[in-house]
Amino acid sequence: MIYLEVKPEEFKSTCLKLHKELHSPVMMLFVDDERIEQGGYFIYCAFLSFKEQQWSWVKTRLPADNPVFDSIAKEIYSANLFEREIKEMFGLEPLGNPDNRRLRLHDEVWPEGHFPLRKDFSGANAGGRVGEYSAGQVFGEGIFEVPVGPVHAGIIGPGHFCFSVAGEPIIKLSTRFGFTHRGIEKLLENKLPDEGVALAERVSGDSSLAQAQAFCRAIENISKLIVPERALYLRAIFLELERMYNHISSIGGMAIDVGFSFPAALCSIIKEALQALNDRLVGSRFLKGAVAIGGCRDIKEGDKKLIIDSLAIIMADFSEVRKMLLTSVSFMDRVDTTGRLSLENAENLGVLGMAGRASGLAVDLRDNIYPYSAAGFKMMVRNEGDVLARLIIRLDEFEESGRLIQELLDKLPKGETMSQPGKYSQGSGLGAVEGARGPVLYWARLNNEGRIVRCKIVDPSFRNWTGLSLAVLENIVPDFPVCNKSFDLSYAGNDL
Amino acid sequence: MTMLSHILKNRLKKGLVTRPIASQEIDSLGQELNRTINKIFKRSLHIREVDTGSCGACESEIIAATNPIYDLQRFGISFVASPRHADALLVTGPVSKNMVLALKKTYEAMPEPKFVITLGDCALDGGVFKGSYYVENGVSSVLPVSLHIPGCPPTPLEIIKRLLAFL
Ligand code: SF4
């Protein structure tokens, strides 16, 4: 972890330099209101050199009376959403960023001049102003718009999509999110770390394990808590179980979205088997309560066998799914070359996780990390960047997860699964976990009472939604669902 | 082997997947549910689902209730794409401010008779999100609610049981 504290006027140039040298998108960019303690706002920008998994931070203090900073979004596009977020949540102006639309606090319901993440925020009672949200229109002969959402036809989260189409092909997709904004970062303020775990689990319910684990890592890093060996292994096993049920769910979704129902049904049977296994292991189908600060739940006598036996059945079903999908000509015809996201676009947008790996971006936070290194973790990468590539990445990662679980179980050390309870110390720290969709990042700062003062959450969906907007271009509208499912992003994780 | 015979082979090999114990329980529950739905909605209950800010786990369990193992549809309950086709509105989430209007409009688009079911602890009173600056602390502050299915999230079996107890 490298921290560079610079003067405000050097903030931009330092960020640009790190971005170039490390070849990293903006991983996190956020503000911490320290006006009471330090008389100003601190702005943090994080980069990651992927090979060494080395984090570099640029930090600067903005005076309370003139809280502005130089926008870096024109040079580093992956900073754009973060800057908009800072502007709406703290009221700090990113100088030179042309996009000043709000992300989550919709104009229609939220008045001007109320910044929820400022420390002196005391709520806003008045409503917003009714107006048209500008989605960036496309004009021209024969071009029309197809607005969809926020309420969709399926059982799914809310989001607004506006397609500009010329005939069948999509020439622009504008998205608007924030419909599931719940104000989680604010809710975490003043909480004791142990109370925060339950909230982290509910940031995005289908990745509650990755969320909770990243949150716990942040707190453990601050307080220098040593997590026992056995817990590290079990956490990895749980994380892979979560990846498996998510991947199989997305695979089934892709089959459904092109009308191939038999393998989709088989996928839902596999998902059910995995969630039932989760339930038997830790008493939650979503692995809630599995991790805690300092460790995790232990598994019971006989659970090793239960996992291995369940996986045997699951893998047998899975190999049928794989065969069925990849040998069906009509299915392959729908997914091959559909929804391409180029490596260049993925890099510029800061797309990471499995969607990035399907476009040739070899980044996985599990790489070279213990205990994955001990289990011979193999990263999956493809170069095509289309729906098929994202499908195959999921298929391959599903198999790899199954293998990893067996390997980790084999090597599972004996001993405790919780560290000795200690006091939470003052300070800040990062927790980073590779969830099913990609990197789940939590940065937290605790005060001298051990309470949370600020917790910044970045779900992989936040960075990857824009990837979808580019991937669908020149595809026909009826292929949008399968493109969307191939990313399978979380509304809740994006909206916080 | 052609794709169709491959599917057929797999179908036969896999057999009936509905879990025996669960199936008995659900079947007896289901018959009762069926009788009620027969009476009111003439053999079918159509549900439109709306997420007002859930974490997504509740949606996942609703979908699971329709998988081949729980197979909610065999009791005449199905999920529809449009509120115009719906008898009941199933709402999850604590109601984010951004969803108030969409929730009301969805409800208004439904034909009478209609009723609202909430699902999941945060839809009742905000749950873990209660007191946030951006949530309305539950659905009942916006719409009249006839039934609540508790849990965070409720399991698929629980969802089916509660629907029965109500109808
Ligand atoms: S009730 Fe719990 S599981 Fe359901 S949406 Fe709310 S927080 Fe998520």
Side-chain angles (χ1 to χ4, degrees):
Chain A
M1 210 59 77
I2 300 169
Y3 274 97
L4 299 168
E5 188 159 353
V6 299
K7 296 199 196 84
E9 54 274 21
E10 292 162 356
F11 178 71
K12 181 172 176 174
S13 57
T14 317
C15 287
L16 294 187
K17 209 165 140 228
L18 280 177
H19 167 65
K20 223 169 141 191
E21 271 173 17
L22 302 177
H23 209 72
S24 156
V26 168
M27 297 297 292
M28 298 180 96
L29 174 63
F30 60 90
V31 161
D32 186 11
D33 180 356
E34 288 202 61
R35 281 175 299 165
I36 299 169
E37 305 100 310
Q38 312 253 12
Y41 297 92
F42 277 89
I43 178 162
Y44 293 82
C45 190
F47 297 93
L48 176 65
S49 63
F50 296 126
K51 269 229 180 69
E52 301 83 38
Q53 299 251 3
Q54 169 86 343
W55 290 83
S56 302
W57 294 81
V58 189
K59 171 182 176 185
T60 192
R61 181 179 159 281
L62 307 174
D65 51 359
N66 184 27
V68 296
F69 61 100
D70 292 323
S71 164
I72 55 173
K74 272 194 184 159
E75 287 81 3
I76 317 175
Y77 186 75
S78 52
N80 184 40
L81 290 173
F82 290 104
E83 289 187 357
R84 287 172 63 187
E85 184 184 40
I86 289 172
K87 185 175 159 133
E88 75 173 348
M89 290 295 168
F90 288 92
L92 308 194
E93 190 67 37
L95 296 174
N97 185 333
D99 193 349
N100 53 18
R101 290 172 301 167
R102 294 196 205 151
L103 286 174
R104 302 185 178 110
L105 309 175
H106 290 179
D107 293 329
E108 295 89 328
V109 296
W110 193 254
E112 297 283 332
H114 294 268
F115 308 109
L117 289 183
R118 283 193 179 186
K119 287 291 170 205
D120 49 5
F121 168 78
S122 58
N125 288 321
R129 62 184 161 81
V130 183
E132 283 269 298
Y133 173 78
S134 108
Q137 277 181 314
V138 181
F139 296 99
E141 200 181 317
I143 292 176
F144 58 95
E145 281 180 358
V146 185
V148 186
V151 179
H152 299 281
I155 302 170
I156 191 174
H160 183 76
F161 300 88
C162 184
F163 303 92
S164 299
V165 294
E168 285 265 51
I170 301 165
I171 54 176
K172 183 179 168 65
L173 167 60
S174 305
T175 52
R176 188 187 194 194
F177 297 116
F179 293 95
T180 67
H181 181 53
R182 291 143 288 163
I184 292 179
E185 289 181 6
K186 190 74 182 178
L187 284 169
L188 278 166
E189 288 181 10
N190 272 321
K191 287 237 162 34
L192 287 167
D194 296 287
E195 301 167 340
V197 180
L199 262 171
E201 285 175 340
R202 283 152 185 85
V203 166
S204 178
D206 54 12
S207 55
S208 47
L209 196 272
Q211 304 279 347
Q213 197 163 315
F215 174 74
C216 291
R217 292 296 302 151
I219 306 294
E220 288 153 7
N221 284 335
I222 299 170
S223 304
K224 314 241 166 358
L225 283 176
I226 308 287
V227 177
E229 280 276 290
R230 185 178 173 85
L232 289 177
Y233 275 71
L234 286 174
R235 281 181 175 190
I237 290 168
F238 295 146
L239 190 62
E240 295 315 304
L241 284 171
E242 181 172 88
R243 190 178 325 278
M244 288 177 86
Y245 86 71
N246 272 286
H247 276 357
I248 203 65
S249 171
S250 313
I251 292 164
M254 282 186 246
I256 272 282
D257 282 343
V258 298
F260 197 7
S261 57
F262 188 81
L266 203 45
C267 285
S268 65
I269 292 168
I270 298 173
K271 183 183 181 189
E272 181 62 31
L274 282 160
Q275 288 198 282
L277 175 63
N278 292 346
D279 195 21
R280 289 185 65 181
L281 291 177
V282 301
S284 159
R285 289 163 56 86
F286 294 86
L287 296 163
K288 284 180 186 176
V291 293
I293 296 166
C296 68
R297 286 178 67 132
D298 206 348
I299 54 171
K300 298 174 287 295
E301 195 57 46
D303 279 351
K304 232 180 191 177
K305 186 171 178 310
L306 172 71
I307 298 174
I308 288 171
D309 292 350
S310 309
L311 282 183
I313 300 169
I314 287 165
M315 284 307 182
D317 282 348
F318 173 77
S319 73
E320 291 299 336
V321 169
R322 179 171 193 131
K323 218 186 309 167
M324 238 179 274
L325 291 177
L326 298 183
T327 57
S328 158
V329 179
S330 51
F331 175 77
M332 291 295 278
D333 191 41
R334 290 291 302 276
V335 294
D336 193 8
T337 71
T338 307
R340 267 203 82 224
L341 179 67
S342 68
L343 175 61
E344 193 192 351
N345 281 340
E347 281 183 327
N348 286 339
L349 296 172
V351 169
L352 288 174
M354 58 76 42
R357 291 193 286 281
S359 289
L361 245 168
V363 182
D364 193 314
L365 297 186
R366 292 173 293 170
D367 199 20
N368 283 324
I369 292 287
Y370 189 76
Y372 283 99
S373 45
F377 167 74
K378 188 166 168 274
M379 195 197 313
M380 303 299 164
V381 187
R382 294 193 76 86
N383 296 313
E384 303 86 351
D386 55 3
V387 171
L388 179 59
R390 287 185 287 277
L391 171 71
I392 294 176
I393 289 276
R394 287 188 201 276
L395 291 167
D396 289 349
E397 289 193 353
F398 186 93
E399 271 172 6
E400 174 68 358
S401 295
R403 191 194 66 77
L404 282 169
I405 292 172
Q406 311 231 4
E407 192 76 32
L408 291 164
L409 274 177
D410 231 31
K411 298 199 159 84
L412 187 65
K414 293 208 162 36
E416 295 295 311
T417 63
M418 284 299 290
S419 67
Q420 291 301 322
K423 270 199 65 178
Y424 295 123
S425 30
Q426 188 171 2
S428 61
L430 174 77
V433 167
E434 184 78 23
R437 296 184 176 93
V440 176
L441 310 174
Y442 276 67
W443 181 92
R445 181 164 69 86
L446 304 183
N447 66 11
N448 54 7
E449 289 169 36
R451 287 186 182 272
I452 300 167
V453 198
R454 169 85 171 107
C455 182
K456 174 69 204 136
I457 304 166
V458 182
D459 184 84
S461 306
F462 185 67
R463 52 176 76 254
N464 286 3
W465 271 116
T466 41
L468 173 66
S469 299
L470 282 197
V472 298
L473 297 185
E474 285 165 39
N475 286 264
I476 58 175
V477 178
D479 276 346
F480 173 73
V482 73
C483 291
N484 188 16
K485 253 299 173 255
S486 71
F487 282 85
D488 206 1
L489 299 171
S490 161
Y491 296 87
N494 179 79
D495 296 345
L496 299 177
Chain B
M1 203 175 359
T2 65
M3 181 53 59
L4 273 178
S5 61
H6 190 72
I7 290 179
L8 185 64
K9 191 196 87 189
N10 266 294
R11 174 71 188 81
L12 294 174
K13 204 172 76 190
K14 198 79 197 149
L16 198 63
V17 295
T18 316
R19 262 183 236 137
I21 310 159
S23 133
Q24 272 172 13
E25 198 175 348
I26 299 173
D27 265 338
S28 59
L29 294 173
Q31 280 161 16
E32 257 178 83
L33 179 58
N34 239 338
R35 268 199 295 277
T36 328
I37 296 173
N38 271 344
K39 221 163 55 202
I40 305 173
F41 289 108
K42 304 270 188 267
R43 284 212 313 270
S44 77
L45 181 71
H46 285 186
I47 301 178
R48 169 66 247 195
E49 198 267 348
V50 172
D51 170 352
T52 68
S54 96
C55 71
C58 278
E59 273 64 34
S60 181
E61 292 299 54
I62 297 168
I63 294 170
T66 68
N67 74 19
I69 288 144
Y70 300 104
D71 196 15
L72 184 61
Q73 295 91 324
R74 66 188 144 142
F75 308 125
I77 300 179
S78 58
F79 289 91
V80 292
S82 167
R84 301 255 185 242
H85 304 157
D87 310 307
L89 192 64
L90 183 64
V91 191
T92 63
V95 190
S96 170
K97 280 193 190 299
N98 294 336
M99 280 304 291
V100 176
L101 184 65
L103 176 61
K104 282 186 187 152
K105 279 191 173 173
T106 307
Y107 181 71
E108 279 159 18
M110 291 167 63
E112 301 274 357
K114 58 186 169 187
F115 59 95
V116 178
I117 306 168
T118 51
L119 186 143
D121 291 349
C122 67
L124 180 68
D125 61 357
V128 290
F129 312 116
K130 194 165 161 172
S132 160
Y133 61 88
Y134 220 70
V135 305
E136 301 288 332
N137 296 332
V139 177
S140 59
S141 64
V142 183
L143 295 178
V145 177
S146 309
L147 168 70
H148 175 65
I149 304 176
C152 186
T155 62
L157 199 59
E158 193 66 18
I159 294 173
I160 296 172
K161 276 187 192 167
R162 292 284 172 157
L163 280 174
L164 164 85
F166 170 69
L167 285 166

